Each structure stands twice: as C-alpha cells, then as structure tokens.
Amino acid sequence: FGLCALLAVTLTLSPASAAGQSGNGVTREDVYPPLWDLALENLLDFPVKDNKIVINAWNYEDRLGVYKSLLKASAKYFGAFGPQNSGNILWGLPLQHGWQFHTGRLADPSGVTSCGYENGELLCQSVRSWWSCMNYYLSIIPFLGAVEAGLFGQLPYEIEILSPEEQKDDFCYSVKDCWSRMPKLMDDWKAFFEVNNFLKNIFRTVSSTSSSSFKLDDALGLMWKAHTSSIAYALPKFQDRLKYVSGPEANFGEDWADGVDFIAATHFLTDLQTTNRFQAFLPQRVLVKGDVIPFISDFSSQQNKVLLALRALHKANKLTGGLLLKLWQKAMSTEAGREKGRKLMERLTLG
C-alpha cells in the first residue's frame, strides 16, 4: 500500500504527467512568483541602518528579494543548464513561496490581525502562519548560509533580519546568531553555497550531457540535504501553529512535509520549468473544514489525487515507523537508481 501511494505521488507530479496538463499560453505572471518584478535583487538596495543591511523577513516582497538575490548571485554557475538562469535549481524555493502567498497560506490564520489580507496588510507574513514560519527556514537560513559561504563576495555591511512582533525566540536574525543556535543546519546550507569548495568544482564548463547530468545530480543532492534538514528542524518547532488552521489544512501541511523527504531522495529537479509543472497540481486555496479528499469540487482531479496520495503516503510511512522512507532512500541511493526510478515513473505515466 505504501509503495503504491509513493508511486501515485511521483507519477502525479512527474514532468511527463504535467506536460500533458499545461497549455502553451504561459504568461510571465504564470511563470514567476507573484510580484517578482517588484522585488529587489541586489542586497545593497535594501535599507542600510547602523552599518547593517536590514531585511524584513515578515514582508513577502522582502523575502522574495532574498530569493532573487540568491538566484542572481548563483546564476553564473548554472549557465550550462538553461537560458536566462532558468536551469538554476534554486527556483523551487521562491516558486513554492509564491504559491504560498498566492493561495493565502502566509496570512494570519487566527483572524486576530489583518496580516496578509487584501483589506489589510497584503504583503505581511504572519508569524502565526505555519507555512510562513516553515518557509523562514527555507529562505532566511539558506540566505545567511550563502552569505557565510561567500556567495555574495565581501559585503560592506552585516546583515540584520528584523524579528516578528511575537514568538521571537523561534527564529535567528544574523549570521552569527544563526550559527550559535543551529550550527548543523547552517553548515548544510553553507556546504551547498560554498563557492571555492563546491560550486566552482561542480559547475565548471562541461563538454558532455552525461557529465553535466552527473554534476547537476551532485548539486541537487546537497541542495535537497539542506532543504530536508531545514524542514526537520522547523517541523517540531512550529507544530503549535497548526492549531490555527482547519483539520484538512493541518493534515495537508504535515503530508507535504513528509512528502518532501520522498521527493528529495530522487534529487527532483527544481529548475524554473519543472517546478512550475509540479505546482500546477498543488491546492490553489487553503483547505477548510468540510473539504474531503479526493472529492473537493473546486479542485481538479489531479489536485485531488495529489492530496489523496500525499495523505496515504504519510499514513503508510507513519504506520511503518519511517521504514517506508528508509527503503525508498536506499533504492534511490545511487545516481543510476535515481535515474531508473525517474524513467520508470515516466514510462508508467505515459502508459
């Protein structure tokens, strides 16, 4: 049952399946996260106060600017994998965050404030939002890891991340602060962004497709290791935030977090095109009381299937005490295994 659920997830989310669903009339607004053109892409364009670059991590546009700066600074290493930086594997992070914003998952779910709502502070990201808090560890922590790794070169100022109005102890606010609180997590992200130790070696000019594929797989492995480390660190910390949302939405959040581990094991490609195809099957609004999967009427059949498959996968993995994930990770432990797994799933989808 668990293996069938896993196959269902991967098949439903595979590029081959998504290709059949996506149309040709894709606009810029469809391709990039909401408000992408408005976000800053140079760190020195952020406000500077007391010799520190100040970033408001609780503002959607500022957090988007963090992602944009990461993409720009790393663009030169991904030139061989797609035009105009489209092959950059960091696209998965801002696109996921854009989906969270678009679907209202960053707004205050408690309803106590107007944070994140159109009739209030639309760009505000609520510290009561489970998605917003989880994403902090997939945006600010990677960013500070990149700063420490030297991705941005020698900056003339330190970085200061503004704290939220409540629950301040759940976050860190500078490179030094984050290193003192979560050294292992910071080290994982630094390892991915390390310019001298990793990127220059992995992304040197390649002459053959097979060599290029192998090097990209190495990069994806380090990226997914850091990605899953962030989720594992943040998940127990923000369990209490799920009390503000409906039962179906809380279940989906936990299912999503568990599903990422399975997807990560395949070194799933997170470039611009593939991530957009993947996200077409995610729910386009917050789940509410009364939503019963796979019978949510305003969701597509594919979106319902994804929710059902993720739920089944989470239950199966929990029932086996995590054994299902370990078996899957073992099967995906080599480049050849991951390639065979992806090809098998594509053939099954096409069939």
Side-chain angles (χ1 to χ4, degrees):
F1 173 76
L3 183 57
C4 289
L6 174 60
L7 287 174
V9 171
T10 316
L11 291 177
T12 310
L13 301 183
S14 71
S17 174
Q21 299 289 328
S22 59
N24 294 324
V26 178
T27 66
R28 182 175 177 85
E29 288 72 23
D30 294 325
V31 172
Y32 296 99
L35 307 181
W36 184 252
D37 288 338
L38 299 180
L40 300 175
E41 67 177 7
N42 296 310
L43 290 183
L44 296 181
D45 289 337
F46 282 89
V48 176
K49 183 179 180 181
D50 297 329
N51 286 322
K52 294 180 179 179
I53 297 171
V54 180
I55 297 173
N56 182 5
W58 304 99
N59 175 278
Y60 170 73
E61 199 171 316
D62 268 28
R63 214 182 274 196
L64 206 60
V66 164
Y67 284 131
K68 203 169 184 179
S69 67
L70 283 173
L71 279 159
K72 181 182 179 181
S74 61
K76 57 186 175 183
Y77 302 111
F78 292 90
F81 303 108
Q84 299 180 326
N85 206 23
S86 62
N88 195 320
I89 61 175
L90 290 173
W91 274 113
L93 296 173
L95 286 170
Q96 271 280 283
H97 195 49
W99 164 77
Q100 293 163 3
F101 175 77
H102 174 72
T103 58
R105 287 180 162 84
L106 304 179
D108 183 356
S110 71
V112 173
T113 71
S114 62
C115 179
Y117 294 97
E118 289 189 15
N119 60 349
E121 303 171 80
L122 178 61
L123 298 182
C124 174
Q125 293 194 196
S126 176
V127 73
R128 298 188 181 192
S129 161
W130 181 84
W131 293 95
S132 178
C133 292
M134 291 293 292
N135 178 263
Y136 193 97
Y137 284 81
L138 289 169
S139 56
I140 300 305
I141 305 304
F143 166 68
L144 293 177
V147 171
E148 180 70 3
L151 184 69
F152 300 99
Q154 189 67 36
L155 292 171
Y157 308 106
E158 294 182 15
I159 302 291
E160 179 184 1
I161 309 297
L162 296 183
S163 62
E165 294 183 357
E166 56 182 302
Q167 307 293 336
K168 297 181 180 181
D169 290 341
D170 288 336
F171 311 95
C172 59
Y173 306 104
S174 67
V175 171
K176 184 178 179 180
D177 184 29
C178 293
W179 269 108
S180 66
R181 296 197 198 190
M182 52 199 78
K184 176 62 171 62
L185 183 55
M186 285 288 287
D187 193 56
D188 283 344
W189 281 110
K190 182 184 178 185
F192 172 69
F193 286 112
E194 190 74 61
V195 175
N196 295 320
N197 189 38
F198 174 66
L199 287 174
K200 286 184 178 178
N201 294 324
I202 295 296
F203 294 110
R204 68 183 64 170
T205 303
V206 292
S207 57
S208 68
T209 302
S210 60
S211 177
S212 173
S213 175
F214 175 77
K215 293 177 183 299
L216 185 60
D217 184 73
D218 283 352
L220 286 162
L222 282 176
M223 188 275 293
W224 278 115
K225 179 185 177 182
H227 190 118
T228 53
S229 293
S230 278
I231 291 178
Y233 185 92
L235 197 56
K237 184 181 288 289
F238 300 119
Q239 189 70 24
D240 65 324
R241 304 300 201 275
L242 292 174
K243 68 185 178 184
Y244 295 117
V245 298
S246 69
E249 178 68 13
N251 287 338
F252 169 58
E254 293 182 330
D255 296 346
W256 167 85
D258 203 30
V260 169
D261 282 327
F262 286 88
I263 295 171
T266 70
H267 291 188
F268 184 83
L269 181 60
T270 48
D271 62 4
L272 183 65
Q273 183 180 30
T274 308
T275 304
N276 272 307
R277 288 174 173 174
F278 165 84
Q279 292 197 155
F281 301 132
L282 294 178
Q284 296 305 302
R285 63 164 173 81
V286 175
L287 275 68
V288 297
K289 184 178 179 180
D291 282 335
V292 179
I293 56 174
F295 308 110
I296 304 177
S297 60
D298 60 332
F299 285 6
S300 69
S301 61
Q302 289 287 350
Q303 288 168 341
N304 272 291
K305 288 177 182 177
V306 166
L307 290 174
L308 179 63
L310 286 172
R311 177 95 288 240
L313 181 61
H314 176 69
K315 286 184 175 180
N317 192 45
K318 187 175 182 179
L319 186 65
T320 61
L323 179 61
L324 180 62
L325 175 60
K326 291 179 181 178
L327 291 174
W328 180 250
Q329 289 173 331
K330 184 176 181 180
M332 298 291 104
S333 62
T334 66
E335 165 63 12
R338 290 186 291 275
E339 185 176 359
K340 288 179 181 178
R342 290 191 295 265
K343 286 183 177 180
L344 171 62
M345 292 170 187
E346 288 175 5
R347 285 200 298 269
L348 290 172
T349 302
L350 292 172

